Amino acid sequence: IGTGSGLMLEILGPRARDAVGVDICAPALRLARTRVHGAGLSHCEFRRGDMYRLPYDDASFDTVSIDRVLAAAERPAAAIAEAARTLRPDGRLIVIEDFDQIDARAADNALAQLRRWFATAGMSAERLRPCDVAGRHFIVALAHARRRPTHLGDPQQRAGLT
């Protein structure tokens, strides 16, 4: 989500059997397609789409990445929730965001703000790390859907296995 120039697909694409880049901007998709296919990643496809209404079924993906679109989003938690909807039960969400842009809209700090967006979307942030690259300050986050509690009568839960 937020394919832009295709950098995330160029990085993650070699590790994927199939990969899809989604962006609302058609010129960005053309640029990404040229970059990614030029790198020999012909198994990557591109689709125009809105991050609030992704054109995919529930539980379609093992991994979803959101690349630098939440800071400017009107409803960042809704975008995260929509990404989570497309994740398989054991899927993961990777978020890359501009630290300073998130910090500018946060009541306290950027990391706490991102955690709140994840929580509102039913996601649990497992890792949130500030990261400086090429003179810019980013947040790299990994999240999973919160596990639903098992039924109290579940023998595995009673045995302490869950």
Side-chain angles (χ1 to χ4, degrees):
I1 301 168
T3 295
S5 67
L7 178 61
M8 288 301 291
L9 272 178
E10 189 174 23
I11 293 168
L12 298 175
R15 294 169 181 81
R17 184 181 41 210
D18 297 302
V20 181
V22 176
D23 204 297
I24 199 147
C25 177
L29 289 170
R30 282 193 293 277
L31 173 63
R33 188 176 294 112
T34 299
R35 176 183 192 155
V36 171
H37 289 173
L41 300 170
S42 60
H43 65 286
C44 296
E45 65 180 78
F46 298 88
R47 188 158 181 193
R48 190 161 189 243
D50 181 339
M51 67 181 170
Y52 300 112
R53 289 182 308 279
L54 294 170
Y56 298 99
D57 293 333
D58 294 357
S60 293
F61 300 104
D62 296 317
T63 302
V64 173
S65 69
I66 300 177
D67 188 7
R68 294 172 287 161
V69 297
L70 296 175
E74 289 181 24
R75 299 175 293 133
I80 292 170
E82 179 63 358
R85 178 191 65 77
T86 68
L87 282 172
R88 292 190 177 106
D90 59 344
R92 63 187 168 248
L93 177 64
I94 301 168
V95 173
I96 311 293
E97 272 305 323
D98 184 290
F99 187 98
D100 296 325
Q101 288 181 10
I102 299 285
D103 200 45
R105 60 185 291 184
D108 42 16
N109 68 65
L111 298 177
Q113 181 64 62
L114 197 51
R115 281 189 195 281
R116 280 191 296 276
W117 291 341
F118 282 131
T120 300
M123 300 290 291
S124 176
E126 294 193 11
R127 294 186 191 124
L128 271 122
R129 302 285 187 264
C131 178
D132 292 323
V133 178
R136 293 189 58 199
H137 200 47
F138 296 97
I139 300 172
V140 179
L142 175 66
H144 289 89
R146 289 192 185 134
R147 296 187 187 267
R148 292 185 180 100
T150 56
H151 186 275
L152 292 176
D154 181 353
Q156 286 186 331
Q157 184 176 12
R158 284 194 313 265
L161 300 174
T162 58

